[in-house]
Amino acid sequence: MAIAGFGEIAEHLRRLTVLIRPGRRGSGSGVIWSGDGTIVTNAHVAHDSNAHVQLWDGREFVGTVTARDPRRDLVSLRINASDLPAATPADSAQLRPGELAIAIGNPMGFLGALTTGVIHAIGPVRGLGSQIWVQASVRLAPGNSGGPLADAGGRVIGINTMVAGRLALAIPSNVVRHFLAV
Amino acid sequence: MSAELIEFSNALAQATERAAASAVAVHTEARGSTSGVIWRPGVIVTAEHALRRDEEIHVTLPDGRIAPATLAGRDPSTDLAVLRCAEVGVAPVEHGDAAETKVGSIALVVGRTRASGAVAALGVVSLVVPERRTWAGSVLVPYIRLDIGLQPTAVGGAVVDSLGRIVGVASPRFARFGAIAIPSAAVERVAETLLKKGRIPRGYLGVALQPVRLPDHLRQSLQHNEKTAAIILEVEADGPAHKAGIVIGDILISLAGQPVSRPENVQSHLQAENIGKALSAKIVRGGAVRDVTISVGDRPNGGG
């Protein structure tokens, strides 16, 4: 197949994906949202008031939780760093089913693992209330939580949060923007 | 970033959007739905096994309206059910010939849910066989398997080829892994029959069969090569076999000139075209072969 580019996108995304260790046990992923040290992850990943954050280049920081929304399962952390490679968020209201979707994360101890698929649907999920999810046919595992879901241009369209059957459910990037703006 | 990948992604989203104009959500209960395809004006096809009820069926149309639909008929042998819905107009998407489908080519399944609108799944065609008989008695020509794990809501959705044409209806039936595309020609044929007759006519003999081993001495005396045949365990009163004089314990060794080594061999003689035809049969009774003539009956609903 002549289509190149998954590797390039994966490399781009790995640089803005962090490994989060909230305590002695367990780990998850996070997304560098701004170059001056704002990290976004799931509330169920960073469940304490601070968490250990490791960048792709190996640097390690202690991140302090600056905002938390348990209902939407989002947390923002700050680390004391600057000039970081940050996510370019897409407008998740413009997403269409069938588009390519690319997830990067740290599932089960693997760092920067790539999975690909397509957007299955954008909307509520039966049994999970009226919240809108980006539903993608990408395979996630524990440790992907908090990591980025991106489009074919490498723009972040959501935060991978849970698995429902064969689907990955991600919090839409517009919801993350709103969460950070409040 | 790679322009090709963005183009490919856009092409997939556009193909999904086009096919979604033919995809409806089918619901029979307060919650949940499966998918269906607008096949021709006023007609929707869906997966038979996923249609839970025969009445109070509703569909969510591509424009978001909810409309009532009535069941024209079911065909479990191809896993198709056909619905009539006055609210649907012309089938917007071109149909392709499933016979042109190639292994390794890209396939999209496009369906619809009540809450989220259009849904898509992407995969490749993992197997194409010119024809395959399913355990439910139908012959799929061709048999097309997709390496797509269908969400329950996408069952009955449209299978779209790389040219954006609808080549079939998606179902997890008749595939141990992934899903199959019930080919467009079969959908056309089944829809035609169900709309006219409400059911798919099948021939029947009015017997229950079980495989049986033929003893060597019997095979030698009969000069019959097959090691097994089918023994008659039940004969339906006044059924075709009963009228032909067949009794319990007879062993069926050939039908219409073709050897019967397993009960399944009988199935291929029971297609609708053979209803009313007289088939010659060889049976063994008391160690001797007899020739009988059975007239294939029109199977009453659900009969075997």
Side-chain angles (χ1 to χ4, degrees):
Chain A
M1 220 192 274
I3 292 170
F6 277 126
E8 196 185 352
I9 292 173
E11 204 45 47
H12 165 75
L13 291 173
R14 280 186 191 112
R15 292 173 199 284
L16 52 91
T17 304
V18 301
L19 174 67
I20 295 189
R21 279 194 295 257
R24 284 192 186 165
R25 299 182 61 185
S27 66
S29 305
V31 179
I32 302 174
W33 206 265
S34 71
D36 62 358
T38 302
I39 312 275
V40 172
T41 185
N42 286 133
H44 77 263
V45 171
H47 44 73
D48 221 336
S49 59
N50 51 50
H52 187 91
V53 175
Q54 185 181 324
L55 307 188
W56 180 243
D57 62 14
R59 282 187 288 163
E60 298 186 26
F61 297 87
V62 173
T64 310
V65 170
T66 50
R68 176 184 295 278
D69 181 349
R71 193 188 65 84
R72 227 24 280 227
D73 201 2
L74 282 173
V75 147
S76 66
L77 296 154
R78 279 206 66 82
I79 59 171
N80 194 4
S82 56
D83 296 326
L84 299 172
T88 310
D91 178 1
S92 55
Q94 302 296 321
L95 286 173
R96 299 164 295 171
E99 267 188 65
L100 292 176
I102 297 139
I104 285 281
N106 310 309
M108 306 197 283
F110 295 100
L111 293 182
L114 164 79
T115 46
T116 67
V118 293
I119 303 287
H120 177 71
I122 305 103
V125 173
R126 201 174 159 188
L128 293 178
S130 60
Q131 292 173 353
I132 302 290
W133 295 94
V134 179
Q135 305 165 31
S137 63
V138 298
R139 192 143 179 170
L140 299 187
N144 270 114
S145 280
L149 185 71
D151 66 11
R155 299 179 308 165
V156 173
I157 59 179
I159 299 293
N160 294 316
T161 298
M162 64 171 101
V163 174
R166 296 188 182 94
L167 292 178
L169 304 186
I171 300 167
S173 51
N174 288 4
V175 173
V176 178
R177 279 191 205 170
H178 181 73
F179 163 72
L180 292 174
V182 171
Chain B
M1 290 300 144
S2 158
E4 286 103 328
L5 206 57
I6 293 171
E7 257 174 52
F8 178 48
S9 180
N10 282 335
L12 290 172
Q14 279 160 15
T16 300
E17 196 181 341
R18 274 201 305 272
S22 283
V24 301
V26 178
H27 23 107
T28 54
E29 281 156 6
R31 283 159 171 263
S33 61
T34 56
S35 291
V37 184
I38 299 173
W39 201 258
R40 31 168 120 156
V43 177
I44 290 163
V45 293
T46 186
E48 192 276 336
H49 80 276
L51 189 66
R52 297 258 182 90
R53 288 198 308 206
D54 290 358
E55 276 144 18
E56 288 176 66
I57 302 165
H58 287 82
V59 291
T60 300
L61 302 173
D63 63 9
R65 279 181 304 141
I66 295 176
T70 55
L71 181 66
R74 293 172 176 267
D75 177 25
S77 78
T78 52
D79 195 30
L80 288 169
V82 174
L83 308 174
R84 286 192 179 92
C85 177
E87 307 272 322
V88 303
V90 180
V93 184
E94 191 195 343
H95 293 175
D97 185 357
E100 293 167 16
T101 305
K102 291 191 169 61
V103 175
S105 61
I106 281 176
L108 267 174
V109 172
V110 178
R112 184 171 297 283
T113 70
R114 293 160 98 169
S116 302
V119 297
L122 176 69
V124 296
V125 174
S126 57
L127 177 72
V128 179
V129 182
E131 72 170 68
R132 177 173 285 188
R133 178 171 292 278
T134 68
W135 51 262
S138 64
V139 180
L140 295 173
V141 183
Y143 175 85
I144 301 171
R145 198 164 67 199
L146 314 168
D147 75 332
I148 295 176
L150 285 184
Q151 290 293 314
T153 50
V155 169
V159 179
V160 178
D161 71 4
S162 53
L163 300 174
R165 303 173 309 179
I166 294 179
V167 293
V169 173
S171 167
R173 278 267 151 124
F174 316 132
R176 194 122 48 103
F177 311 101
I180 66 155
I182 304 165
S184 48
V187 177
E188 194 60 44
R189 179 172 48 80
V190 169
E192 185 70 35
T193 309
L194 289 180
L195 288 166
K196 270 191 197 147
K197 302 186 176 171
R199 67 187 187 96
I200 301 292
R202 286 273 305 154
Y204 94 122
L205 301 180
V207 291
L209 299 166
Q210 184 180 297
V212 66
R213 184 187 289 274
L214 291 174
D216 286 343
H217 64 87
L218 194 58
R219 287 172 54 217
Q220 277 161 15
S221 66
L222 301 176
Q223 300 193 326
H224 187 71
N225 286 331
E226 305 294 325
K227 289 181 178 163
T228 56
I231 188 166
I232 313 266
L233 295 184
E234 269 181 58
V235 178
E236 191 191 295
D238 296 324
H242 183 239
K243 287 177 185 160
I246 286 173
V247 298
I248 291 172
D250 286 351
I251 298 170
L252 183 64
I253 60 170
S254 89
L255 190 62
Q258 286 171 5
V260 173
S261 58
R262 289 175 295 162
E264 297 91 282
N265 297 147
V266 173
Q267 288 285 341
S268 55
H269 299 287
L270 299 181
Q271 61 271 50
E273 305 88 83
N274 275 356
I275 294 171
K277 279 192 191 158
L279 301 182
S280 62
K282 279 189 194 304
I283 58 164
V284 178
R285 185 185 298 168
V289 179
R290 290 168 185 239
D291 287 301
V292 295
T293 302
I294 310 176
S295 174
V296 178
D298 186 355
R299 179 179 56 176
N301 272 337

